[in-house]
Amino acid sequence: MLSRRRADRRCKCLIAGAFLAAIGPLAGDLIAQEGGVSVQPLDPMAWEKSPYRQFGAAVPLLGERVLLFDEASDSAFSDALSLRLRALTEELHGRQAWRWPVSADAPLKVYVARHASGGVRELVRSGFDRDKLIGAALHLDASALDDEEAIAEVARLYALAVISAYRAPDRNGLAEAAASLLAGHPSPEEIEAVRIAASAPEIDVLRHRRSLGRLYVEEFVRAAGIGALRESFEQAAARGQDAHDAIAETLEVVTGETPSALMVRFAARLYTVGEPEAGPSRMSMDDLIAGALDARPTAPFAIRHRTFVPQDSGALRVSWPDDAGPGAAVVRYRDAQLPADVVFFAPGESHAIALAGVSRVDWVVAGGSATADLPAPATVEPADGYPFAGLSVQAGAAGGEGTRLTWSTASHRGLAGWAVFREEVAADGRILRSGPEILPATSESQESYGYAWVDLAGKNAFRRYTVWAVTEEGLFARAFAVTLRAGE
């Protein structure tokens, strides 16, 4: 019995070895998916040839260059898809000068299944002819998609075909990320994926190429220009260089920045444009003061994320250790009309963050040139009297001049000025907001300072003024608010 079991295991090993040998030549044909990788079938056209597929006759979309094979006979869909691809190809091949992925006599085929087909969303091809794809096809299971979503997915796969035709080495799967960007606006699916991924305390960008990876490539394009993206893939293909190495080299040549600087700016923007769930990454004030904010460099394409939700006002003095990675604090205010602000941290730097009027602070640490095994805790201490102390306020009518606000501070430091916002009720009941109007201030004073601001238009029956201190870090700290009515 024992020898038979050994024989069975030996047979299974031989079968597994034969299978691995068979797919070995396809190792370069991995298709990155959100959260994982799938291998193209041994016959890349097997899905479209399946007896379970019932595709209709070919419908030309871009002349004979792209052909649609759809399980549904829907002229409205094919017309809308044709318009979308025409706009996309004009942008990619006309304005951005990307090469066509297929030759004129070998059309790209688009297969759209309307019944459940394994959730397939893939680009397949049988080979290359120099810089063109041979036997290229886009496979899409559209059973769970509406027409708009299906069209957006075909556009993304087409952009992936364009990039893949360059044959650039791409160990990090940035072609998937770039294709999502080139295809146009992010899908609701990608937006939701970003929101979920961004709430985590540790984020691997490469596990979310289509969503987070898209934003990373977008940050590169914002810094170096859209043409730099194509040039990077061209350079990678010509030199046999990895796509990300080419992107990093292009970034340094064009902007002088390093990939770690790009990474931390991408991470900061991630939390300025969205507000993910705070719970998974939340830290308390005690955690911060105890040194639980780890600022050591992360692995490349990784982000460490922590969230702090202040329970009261005050301020923090934050010192980044010398062995830290690049980081940032994204400061979001309770006033939803104020955009989030960002303070960047380099190793050895210190910054103060006022908490008055702040709803949350998202801390991010990005990948550096090398990771560290030991934690590098940031030093966080309360900063009393920052940016001001001893506030006293008066407000009222200023004769024929309108409304007059006066206030004073016992002391201040790190102060750049004051921002005054005004709200009033319009005749139709809408609340109109104006401002900010900026009053300059001295940076520091241990003595009392007085300020006055006159609103010449402040004669409305109801008006509200909100005054924020503006720190030298470029952040806001809520000072006071005053509500006045006619005659006051």
Side-chain angles (χ1 to χ4, degrees), residues 283-336:
M283 302 181 75
S284 68
M285 178 70 84
D286 290 341
D287 293 332
L288 291 173
I289 294 176
L293 179 58
D294 186 3
R296 63 177 159 170
T298 67
F301 290 108
I303 301 169
R304 185 178 303 113
H305 166 234
R306 298 294 185 269
T307 301
F308 172 58
V309 179
Q311 299 301 311
D312 49 29
S313 57
L316 300 175
R317 168 65 63 176
V318 183
S319 299
W320 226 236
D322 292 334
D323 55 348
V330 180
V331 180
R332 191 176 294 275
Y333 303 102
R334 292 195 179 99
D335 185 339

Side-chain angles (χ1 to χ4, degrees), residues 173-245:
L174 289 186
E176 278 275 336
S180 293
L181 176 64
L182 294 179
H185 297 296
S187 66
E189 180 182 22
E190 291 173 342
I191 294 173
E192 179 64 10
V194 167
R195 189 188 68 81
I196 294 172
S199 66
E202 309 291 337
I203 304 168
D204 182 353
V205 176
L206 294 183
R207 288 179 56 85
H208 307 276
R209 293 177 179 89
R210 286 181 52 191
S211 53
L212 296 181
R214 169 203 174 97
L215 296 179
Y216 174 78
V217 175
E218 185 176 25
E219 195 66 34
F220 166 75
V221 168
R222 188 177 282 110
I226 188 63
L229 184 60
R230 171 184 52 77
E231 292 168 3
S232 296
F233 277 93
E234 287 178 344
Q235 173 182 312
R239 299 180 180 178
Q241 183 183 26
D242 181 74
H244 182 255
D245 292 342

Side-chain angles (χ1 to χ4, degrees), residues 261-292:
L262 179 70
M263 191 72 183
V264 75
R265 199 169 63 248
F266 145 73
R269 195 179 301 276
L270 180 62
Y271 295 96
T272 60
V273 299
E275 188 174 2
E277 173 62 37
S281 305
R282 188 163 179 171
M283 302 181 75
S284 68
M285 178 70 84
D286 290 341
D287 293 332
L288 291 173
I289 294 176

Side-chain angles (χ1 to χ4, degrees), residues 72 158 170 241 271 340 375 415 455:
Y158 179 84
D170 185 21
Q241 183 183 26
Y271 295 96
L415 184 65
D455 178 14

Side-chain angles (χ1 to χ4, degrees), residues 125-182:
R125 47 86 180 166
S126 59
F128 288 98
D129 180 10
R130 293 187 295 273
D131 60 354
K132 304 296 182 185
L133 302 176
I134 298 175
L138 310 182
H139 294 166
L140 177 61
D141 176 357
S143 59
L145 306 177
D146 59 30
D147 283 359
E148 184 176 344
E149 291 169 335
I151 290 170
E153 192 61 21
V154 171
R156 184 188 69 83
L157 290 172
Y158 179 84
L160 181 59
V162 171
I163 298 172
S164 299
Y166 284 77
R167 305 178 68 178
D170 185 21
R171 67 175 181 267
N172 296 309
L174 289 186
E176 278 275 336
S180 293
L181 176 64
L182 294 179

Side-chain angles (χ1 to χ4, degrees), residues 29-33 36-40 121-124 160 176:
D29 292 336
L30 298 181
I31 298 181
Q33 303 290 345
V37 171
S38 64
V39 180
Q40 291 184 354
R121 303 180 184 186
E122 64 183 5
L123 160 70
V124 299
L160 181 59
E176 278 275 336

